Amino acid sequence: MDNIQSIKNRFGIIGNSQSLNYALQVAAQVANTDLTVLISGESGVGKEVFSQIIHALSARKHNPFIAVNCGAIPEGTIDSELFGHEKGSFTGAVDNRKGYFETVNGGTIFLDEIGEMPLGTQARLLRVLETGEYIRVGSSKVQKTDVRVIAATNRDLLERTQQGKFREDLYYRLNTVPIRVPSLRDRKEDIPMLFRKFCVDFAEKYKTTSIQLNEEARDVLVNYPWPGNVRELKNIAEQISVLAPEKLVTANDLQHFLPEQPTVNRLPMLAPGGHQGNGDFASERDILYKLFFDMKKDVTELKKMFFEVLQNPNMAQHAAYADSGVLAGSYQPAEAPVMTTPNIIAAPATAQPIILKDNAIDHHEEVEETLSIADKEKELIEKALRKHKGKRKDAALDLGISERTLYRKLKEYNIHE
């Protein structure tokens, strides 16, 4: 326990919860080995601090340490960043470049947000972990490296392996020693202590008096879910230190600084077990699928109504009277019309609607429009690119997706600008 407390003092860790102490104990025990460590936890819980603890307590502590956010590096350049490249290997490669696995040789590399790493780069990383070998982009020469890898994620990697977004063999290779950093709501007893520490630090920095919470405000603070974890708690503490009208903060005062709880997402989506898209565009596909399905249903209902009117012309006159408030010879007071959708069973796709031509009734085959989500995606992307004259950034903004996702979709659908 004394060893855990010394680690807390050295790295400025506040809290005495059992889950936090266990995570620190595992980090201290694995530090002296070269085993790969996978740190998991929500955003804002301090996963990078645990990587620094492991490096500082290891035999590599005097060698380089580098933290790399895999989600912040574009897919087209991440291989070059990690493994280096040769001159002329791609556009813009004007010189040879060393990658992180070469410059940090003998040290530790921390791969944050490992779940965002592209599948191709995952294969390269797996080879480094298994053999210590890598190849620069554009080269055929195999190079060796001695780097300890610590990975972190706020995603469920096992679930991503089932979705085909993360290599299963890499997951088990990284998960040699798992460390779970608890969220702030899972260690509520540490919240008042952390809040007081942030307020005191802020007061010392700006030479002011630290704020205090009364009992009711402390209860509100502890029971707030803190989706942003320690990072959010620190931001709220600094806001209150600056903007609170009094140094003794009440529950009512505190409520003004806490964000409202997020509302339920009411965007259309499929029920569980329905269509599942592939790739990062899955949520957009679900929404588009639902919209196209509803549109198709409305068109089918309109065709059915038209078919019935053709068979019984009196229905048209009946519908006109209904709209004007006269139905079956009785008058109804004119009120705001209420639009309802008729409860009609959709006709099968092979049905042949009847149309009038020179006072004759002919049959024609109905041509089904495509309902392929991929085709609709491609069509929307091409329209956006034409609209913005090939400017990817503007097209991505118009589509409501990231430029990186747009780049990936251009490759997937073989769209040439």
Side-chain angles (χ1 to χ4, degrees), residues 63-245:
N63 296 330
F65 171 88
I66 188 170
V68 181
N69 189 329
C70 299
I73 304 177
E75 183 176 350
T77 61
I78 189 170
D79 284 353
S80 172
E81 293 287 332
L82 294 177
F83 308 107
H85 64 254
E86 295 292 319
K87 179 180 179 180
S89 57
F90 55 87
T91 304
V94 296
D95 203 352
N96 294 340
R97 183 187 185 280
K98 294 182 178 181
Y100 298 137
F101 277 96
E102 188 172 352
T103 58
V104 189
N105 190 19
T108 304
I109 185 168
F110 173 57
L111 299 177
D112 198 7
E113 306 304 340
I114 190 72
E116 306 300 326
M117 180 177 286
L119 286 171
T121 309
Q122 292 178 28
R124 287 173 171 260
L125 176 61
L126 180 62
R127 182 178 182 184
V128 173
L129 293 176
E130 291 181 342
T131 65
E133 297 177 348
Y134 68 95
I135 301 176
R136 284 185 178 182
V137 177
S139 173
S140 58
K141 180 182 177 181
V142 177
Q143 301 193 53
K144 300 284 289 186
T145 186
D146 176 25
V147 174
R148 182 182 193 174
V149 174
I150 302 174
T153 180
N154 61 359
R155 310 284 291 271
D156 186 344
L157 290 188
L158 190 56
E159 179 181 344
R160 289 182 70 80
T161 61
Q162 298 169 354
Q163 297 171 351
K165 299 177 182 178
F166 200 83
R167 293 180 62 102
E168 186 175 7
D169 47 4
L170 178 59
Y171 167 73
Y172 289 112
R173 188 65 179 80
L174 289 171
N175 202 35
T176 306
V177 178
I179 296 178
R180 175 72 183 178
V181 183
S183 62
L184 197 55
R185 61 181 171 276
D186 290 335
R187 52 187 188 107
K188 291 185 175 183
E189 64 270 29
D190 295 337
I191 293 177
M193 194 184 311
L194 279 165
F195 184 83
R196 184 164 59 251
K197 173 67 166 55
F198 293 143
C199 292
V200 170
D201 289 347
F202 186 85
E204 291 178 354
K205 181 178 180 180
Y206 294 101
K207 304 297 188 292
T208 62
T209 305
S210 177
I211 63 170
Q212 301 289 331
L213 299 178
N214 65 13
E215 193 65 32
E216 291 79 9
R218 193 176 293 108
D219 291 339
V220 172
L221 190 77
V222 169
N223 292 318
Y224 179 73
W226 298 109
N229 292 290
V230 179
R231 186 184 296 122
E232 182 184 12
L233 179 63
K234 182 178 181 181
N235 291 340
I236 293 296
E238 292 180 348
Q239 286 183 37
I240 298 175
S241 297
V242 174
L243 303 176

Side-chain angles (χ1 to χ4, degrees), residues 343-392:
N343 185 16
I344 300 173
I345 300 176
T350 57
Q352 298 179 345
I354 301 175
I355 62 173
L356 290 176
K357 182 180 180 182
D358 297 332
N359 297 323
I361 297 179
D362 293 336
H363 292 270
H364 80 285
E365 294 291 336
E366 180 182 1
V367 179
E368 281 292 312
E369 60 177 333
T370 178
L371 291 180
S372 170
I373 301 302
D375 291 345
K376 293 299 182 182
E377 279 183 7
K378 182 177 180 181
E379 181 182 345
L380 290 173
I381 291 173
E382 289 175 338
K383 285 183 178 180
L385 288 172
R386 287 197 300 269
K387 175 181 177 182
H388 296 284
K389 300 179 180 180
K391 295 181 180 179
R392 292 181 184 176

Side-chain angles (χ1 to χ4, degrees), residues 73-76 116 118-119 160 278-282 381 392 401-415:
I73 304 177
E75 183 176 350
E116 306 300 326
L119 286 171
R160 289 182 70 80
N278 292 324
D280 294 338
F281 213 52
I381 291 173
R392 292 181 184 176
I401 60 177
S402 67
E403 191 173 356
R404 177 180 174 186
T405 300
L406 176 59
Y407 176 78
R408 187 162 56 250
K409 288 297 173 183
L410 292 177
K411 292 174 60 179
E412 178 182 345
Y413 296 125
N414 196 23
I415 300 175

